Amino acid sequence: MTATAEGDATLAKAAHENFPVAPRFLPRAWRGDLMAVYGFARLVDDIGDGDLPPGGADAARLGLAPGRADDRLLMLDALEADLRRVFASAHGGAPPRHPLLRELIPTVRRAALTPDPFLALIEANRVDQRVRRYATHADLLGYCELSANPVGRLVLGITGTSTPERIRRSDAVCTALQLIEHLQDVAEDLARDRIYLPAEAMHRFHVTEADLAAPTANASVRTLVAHMSDRARRLLDEGAPMMTGVSGRLRLLLAGFVGGGRAAAQAIADAGYDVLAGPPRASKGGLLYAAATTLRRGT
């Protein structure tokens, strides 16, 4: 597979997200910037999850021997070094090696982005190599600060709409989207020996790890999922007013983020909160309806 084909395969995963990554109604420059950021974020996650294409091509592009592609921490370190080349290249330094990171250069320059949110996404995947369980909801929210919230901050940076209040609202939405994704992927995560349901909540609702390994969810698991889904919905409600003061196509994009989360949460509810039989996904119609409703209400 060529470098271009592998990059296209990575970017193609955008179609399977709970929210629109770079819809066609946005200005071309914004779409290009959002896809560049998505390409980076997807690459980081694929490294952290061990989902890179076979053959070690990504390792070679990062300056490592192809056989080291399975060393996730080493790959993340190499990716961080390549990320720093993105920012150094703006001052005459060597450009990054990986093609998906080279795509970031014009985005970083155009939007005057800083390394911090990108570094946070890398650190989240380092955490995934060390932490397999979360004791409390607060611990899980701390993980979301690294794994999810930087994405929203990058979107606000690209669109030039960052304010302290909008960042706070965006963080709530991004955390909610991450929590919902965790609920959808309970079985998949458990297969990777990861559980993103807080142990305190599992204890409260009498859920064991054996319950999560079952082919379908029992009543206790369903109650726990309903509880976590409700927390995510409340975060979406808290974050939705980030649309205040925003109009036009950006307002449509933000409504898509919130609506996508609401549609995904509704899909979980429609499945009777049984996330073990298969990850509940919103239909395109459900997503459009939720986004339109969010847009009309403005919250």
Side-chain angles (χ1 to χ4, degrees), residues 43-51 72 76 125 128-129 194:
L43 177 61
V44 178
D45 282 351
D46 284 351
I47 291 173
D49 291 339
D51 286 341
R72 299 180 192 180
L76 291 169
N125 279 271
D128 277 334
Q129 310 315 309
R194 295 176 186 163

Side-chain angles (χ1 to χ4, degrees), residues 18 137 140-141 143-144 147-148 172-186 196-198 228-233 235 268:
N18 282 328
H137 189 69
L140 187 59
L141 293 184
Y143 172 74
C144 292
S147 67
V173 169
C174 289
T175 291
L177 291 173
Q178 180 77 90
L179 294 177
I180 291 167
E181 184 177 348
H182 287 159
L183 294 176
Q184 291 172 315
D185 295 340
V186 168
Y196 294 100
L197 302 172
M228 295 294 295
S229 181
D230 181 64
R231 298 191 82 152
R233 285 179 185 268
L235 281 170
I268 292 172

Side-chain angles (χ1 to χ4, degrees), residues 117-245:
F118 298 100
L119 291 170
L121 294 175
I122 294 174
E123 185 58 28
N125 279 271
R126 289 195 181 104
V127 170
D128 277 334
Q129 310 315 309
R130 303 190 304 265
V131 180
R132 302 286 178 170
R133 307 289 189 272
Y134 290 84
T136 68
H137 189 69
D139 292 337
L140 187 59
L141 293 184
Y143 172 74
C144 292
E145 282 283 342
L146 296 172
S147 67
N149 298 0
V151 176
R153 295 181 181 216
L154 287 167
V155 171
L156 295 178
I158 286 169
T159 57
T161 54
S162 292
T163 65
E165 176 63 10
R166 196 165 288 129
I167 288 172
R168 185 180 73 82
R169 301 284 188 182
S170 170
D171 285 352
V173 169
C174 289
T175 291
L177 291 173
Q178 180 77 90
L179 294 177
I180 291 167
E181 184 177 348
H182 287 159
L183 294 176
Q184 291 172 315
D185 295 340
V186 168
E188 179 183 330
D189 290 332
L190 186 61
R192 302 180 192 272
D193 191 29
R194 295 176 186 163
I195 296 178
Y196 294 100
L197 302 172
E200 64 179 5
M202 291 177 62
H203 178 74
R204 174 183 172 188
F205 293 102
H206 309 288
V207 172
T208 67
E209 292 194 17
D211 293 330
L212 300 182
T216 59
N218 62 24
S220 295
V221 172
R222 291 171 190 250
T223 303
L224 169 59
V225 171
H227 168 74
M228 295 294 295
S229 181
D230 181 64
R231 298 191 82 152
R233 285 179 185 268
R234 282 185 274 129
L235 281 170
L236 287 171
D237 292 342
E238 179 185 336
M242 69 179 174
M243 294 185 294
T244 302

